[in-house]
Amino acid sequence: VQSQVSCKRCSIELRPVVRLVQPDTVFLGVNTNIAQDSRGRFHWVASDGSRVGVFAPNGRFERQYGRRGRGPGELMATRH
């Protein structure tokens, strides 16, 4: 990875586009592993990698899936 900017007039502006709100009953932790699917939903991987929270395109929490383990519907870790 180069640390040099090839365009001296270019800049990057980071702006929030949506706020993902976790309900009080769900804690996914602080995480940067967030992906957006073809339907616009956001998938937030929990800090421990064992659960995934699904959020609507407007940021409203829809559901979560997974739990720690090696059986059906269980996750040990996730990769991106």
Side-chain angles (χ1 to χ4, degrees):
V1 176
Q2 286 187 324
S3 61
Q4 256 182 340
V5 176
S6 61
C7 175
K8 295 179 195 248
R9 295 177 297 186
C10 299
S11 65
I12 298 172
E13 178 184 348
L14 301 176
R15 296 180 296 135
V17 288
V18 68
R19 181 182 173 128
L20 304 180
V21 181
Q22 298 178 62
D24 293 338
T25 57
V26 175
F27 181 70
L28 298 170
V30 177
N31 204 322
T32 57
N33 293 325
I34 299 171
Q36 192 171 22
D37 66 21
S38 62
R39 292 171 53 187
R41 295 176 304 179
F42 295 93
H43 298 260
W44 174 329
V45 178
S47 301
D48 66 0
S50 67
R51 294 170 290 122
V52 177
V54 181
F55 295 81
N58 67 1
R60 182 182 50 80
F61 179 78
E62 290 184 345
R63 66 187 182 97
Q64 74 172 354
Y65 61 89
R67 63 176 182 251
R68 184 162 294 286
R70 296 183 186 272
E74 297 176 332
L75 306 168
M76 292 301 293
T78 56
R79 291 190 297 174
H80 54 86

